[in-house]
Amino acid sequence: MDERQRQRSTADHHRQRRAPALDLARGLAILLLIAFHSFDVPGFRWGNPPPEWASDLMLTLTPFRMPLLFVIAGVLAVSHNRKKPVELLGSVARKIYWPYLVWTAILLNTAGFSYFLTHYATDFTAWIAPGYLWFIFYLGIFILVSRLLSGIPSWSIAVVLLVGLIAFESFEYRAVFVYGICFFAGAAISQCVLSAETIMQRSGARAIVLASGAVLLLSTLIASSLTLGGFAFRPWGIALTFSTNAAILISLSIYYRYSSAASAAVEYLGRNSLVFYLSHWPIMVAVMTLATTLNVEPHYHAALLFGISLAAGCIIATLRRHPPVAWFFTFPWRNPRMRDLRKN
């Protein structure tokens, strides 16, 4: 085994060791997302806005939902860049854009099948980042751009996006710049996150990381509570948002070495994050439709949506590798040659 193969094997070993910590962080972000939509969905179509305290809390936690998911995706994007371009394109098409199209069709049909046929079926723009599926749409783009620009340091791409955010601060889609910065900056710190075991050997370094993470977390919570999460989409706030999420990942990578029973459920959410992300909104719409038909009291709606979407997501995650459920998350056709290679 030559030196390059040895380094790659070591990196893969570290990545496997760090996977539980990344799953835990991703699971926490998914929990926050589902909690946010549990309060948001009733007001979205049924005119039952959340209590003010819940709305303020969910907005305050804005820097820890989608930014954290994009940072994690950036950390893991390093492994995608080792694939051949055609292989990566096929993987993104099968595992990201196929389920994106399937769940976009499901989402658009929640408005009614006749309305879907007369409006959405022939309107190309309706299929571009609709509703909650914008994350999947941009995730695939970021992964492909990362591979296309793999010869350019990820941190420099993040800096260019930051400059663009400053130059076009009033731009309608400035959130794309923010999440792009989180993704490519996450890719830039991937080696630090995945190889954090070396820091564990120095107790002083561990204390510094923990103290820095605590200060960043407190600062972000204060800034977010004062602006109800709005600061995360401004140039001056993105540095704090990213630094805090990076500190969360690095701290978890250092202190959380192995899976434990206490966090197994959250890790499960993280490992199956795509399933929970894609399925939770249509499930919530179905539950709200039934709840309003049965005249369920509005103050029970959020709890019902949160609990049922998690329970249903667990069932779907259990069945996700079995057709026809699997077809909702991965394109059913596979290259026979690749399947034969895996068998050998």
Side-chain angles (χ1 to χ4, degrees):
M1 180 183 294
D2 59 25
E3 183 63 25
R4 181 176 297 179
Q5 290 176 324
R6 186 178 296 106
Q7 291 176 354
R8 180 173 296 180
S9 176
T10 302
D12 290 339
H13 173 69
H14 285 165
R15 185 171 291 106
Q16 293 171 359
R17 291 283 298 278
R18 297 281 73 81
L22 294 177
D23 285 339
L24 180 62
R26 189 159 44 188
L28 289 171
I30 290 294
L31 270 179
L32 290 176
L33 175 70
I34 293 177
F36 171 69
H37 283 162
S38 296
F39 287 103
D40 187 52
V41 167
F44 176 73
R45 186 184 297 176
W46 288 271
N48 298 322
E52 186 176 354
W53 67 266
S55 178
D56 291 349
L57 177 61
M58 291 299 104
L59 289 174
T60 297
L61 294 175
T62 296
F64 306 102
R65 286 195 303 269
M66 307 316 296
L68 181 56
L69 286 174
F70 275 112
V71 172
I72 295 171
V75 170
L76 297 176
V78 177
S79 62
H80 295 301
N81 290 341
R82 290 203 298 268
K83 295 181 179 180
K84 295 180 180 179
V86 174
E87 181 185 2
L88 177 62
L89 186 62
S91 178
V92 170
R94 277 200 323 119
K95 298 179 179 180
I96 294 181
Y97 283 117
W98 168 257
Y100 168 80
L101 290 175
V102 170
W103 289 92
T104 295
I106 294 174
L107 172 65
L108 297 180
N109 267 286
T110 60
F113 184 66
S114 60
Y115 192 86
F116 171 80
L117 289 178
T118 56
H119 292 78
Y120 295 140
T122 56
D123 183 5
F124 175 75
T125 60
W127 295 74
I128 300 177
Y132 75 106
L133 292 169
W134 64 267
F135 169 73
I136 307 298
F137 180 81
Y138 289 113
L139 176 63
I141 291 177
F142 290 157
I143 291 175
L144 293 175
V145 170
S146 176
R147 179 63 180 86
L148 182 65
L149 303 179
S150 58
I152 302 176
S154 297
W155 63 265
S156 62
I157 300 175
V159 170
V160 170
L161 290 173
L162 180 60
V163 172
L165 179 64
I166 295 173
F168 302 99
E169 186 175 356
S170 60
F171 184 48
E172 181 181 359
Y173 299 102
R174 62 180 180 274
V176 178
F177 285 94
V178 172
Y179 296 129
I181 292 168
C182 289
F183 179 90
F184 287 101
I189 67 161
S190 60
Q191 195 60 43
C192 181
V193 173
L194 298 175
S195 302
E197 184 178 2
T198 56
I199 306 177
M200 295 177 61
Q201 301 172 2
R202 302 179 177 87
S203 58
R206 294 199 301 269
I208 292 174
V209 169
L210 183 61
S212 301
V215 171
L216 285 170
L217 182 61
L218 181 62
S219 301
T220 302
L221 285 173
I222 293 174
S224 190
S225 63
L226 293 175
T227 62
L228 296 182
F231 86 100
F233 298 96
R234 299 298 177 184
W236 65 268
I238 184 59
L240 182 58
T241 296
F242 168 75
S243 299
T244 303
N245 286 297
I248 291 173
L249 287 184
I250 294 174
S251 298
L252 286 174
S253 297
I254 293 173
Y255 288 93
Y256 185 74
R257 300 181 63 185
Y258 305 103
S259 177
S260 64
S263 59
V266 181
E267 283 181 48
Y268 181 80
L269 290 176
R271 287 195 303 273
N272 296 280
S273 57
L274 185 65
V275 172
F276 285 92
Y277 189 95
L278 290 171
S279 65
H280 80 279
W281 184 279
I283 291 171
M284 288 183 178
V285 171
V287 171
M288 273 301 301
T289 301
L290 181 60
T292 53
T293 302
L294 299 176
N295 294 318
V296 176
E297 292 294 329
H299 55 268
Y300 293 123
H301 288 170
L304 280 174
L305 296 181
F306 184 76
I308 294 177
S309 61
L310 284 178
C314 288
I315 295 173
I316 296 172
T318 302
L319 300 174
R320 69 171 296 187
R321 300 189 184 280
H322 304 280
V325 176
W327 301 340
F328 285 84
F329 302 98
T330 306
F331 188 71
W333 180 83
R334 289 186 178 182
N335 189 326
R337 181 173 177 272
M338 295 300 295
R339 184 167 58 246
D340 293 338
L341 288 174
R342 280 194 294 270
K343 289 181 179 179
N344 296 330

